[in-house]
Amino acid sequence: MAPIGTIIGPTTNNTRNYKARVVAQFLGIDLATTPDFVMNVDNKKEEYLAKYPAGKVPVFEGVNGLHLIDSSAIAYYVASQAGSNSPLLGQTAEETAEILQYMFFTEADLMPAIAGTLYSIQGFMPYIKPAQQYSEEQCFRFLGVLDAILLNKTFLVGE
């Protein structure tokens, strides 16, 4: 099977890149990658910025000419390539809305809290105690939300 496109970005230590790759692997979809991509080098090059002015990583270039610059949009598109029976998109409008709800919750709430907790520990940003404490509180709060949902369910959506 030929790849449906290429996800451009670092293939290690990049959670945003992992999303689409995990979806592709789960569904048996071939997705090309760029293992030699160097973050903060390749995405700063003129030719990259000419195509993707925001310099965001990862990006997707489909064999059909589609270009996407958001990791969740890329993962969703990859999931859609399994057809209308994709187990990751939902079978009804309600299930799809629930799936999107959790994607957006993760992007907007959970990941920033996790990043705020870990980045200062990893040396990516300065340690500021009140900010660190706030991020930790938010992280535990949002993980608690997911824990409460999953106490009585096997999956976030569907059963």
Side-chain angles (χ1 to χ4, degrees):
M1 173 191 260
I4 62 167
T6 303
I7 188 162
I8 301 169
T11 55
T12 57
N13 299 324
N14 188 292
T15 57
R16 295 186 187 283
N17 188 311
Y18 290 150
K19 287 193 287 190
R21 291 172 46 217
V22 167
V23 168
Q25 186 169 357
F26 179 78
L27 296 173
I29 293 171
D30 195 7
L31 185 62
T33 61
T34 54
D36 297 330
F37 187 95
V38 179
M39 186 69 173
N40 293 320
V41 174
D42 293 331
N43 61 313
K44 305 276 186 202
K45 292 180 178 175
E46 255 183 69
E47 59 270 18
Y48 188 91
L49 293 172
K51 286 172 106 172
Y52 306 105
K56 288 181 69 170
V57 174
V59 296
F60 175 81
E61 293 182 0
V63 295
N64 61 0
L66 176 67
H67 287 221
L68 297 171
I69 62 167
D70 180 82
S71 60
S72 291
I74 296 167
Y76 191 87
Y77 175 74
V78 171
S80 76
Q81 297 308 288
S84 61
N85 291 326
S86 173
L88 300 180
L89 297 181
Q91 299 302 305
T92 65
E94 292 79 9
E95 284 181 354
T96 300
E98 285 185 282
I99 290 165
L100 291 173
Q101 167 186 268
Y102 291 114
M103 285 176 61
F104 300 152
F105 170 75
T106 301
E107 287 282 322
D109 299 312
L110 184 58
M111 287 309 294
I114 290 171
T117 301
L118 295 179
Y119 284 4
S120 64
I121 295 168
Q122 295 173 323
F124 295 129
M125 56 192 273
Y127 178 83
I128 302 168
K129 189 172 183 174
Q132 180 73 24
Q133 288 173 323
Y134 177 77
S135 291
E136 288 175 9
E137 289 167 6
Q138 292 294 81
C139 191
F140 284 116
R141 177 177 163 223
F142 296 137
L143 289 173
V145 168
L146 291 177
D147 189 48
I149 292 167
L150 291 171
L151 278 174
N152 299 311
K153 295 175 82 173
T154 307
F155 305 103
L156 287 172
V157 178
E159 214 29 70

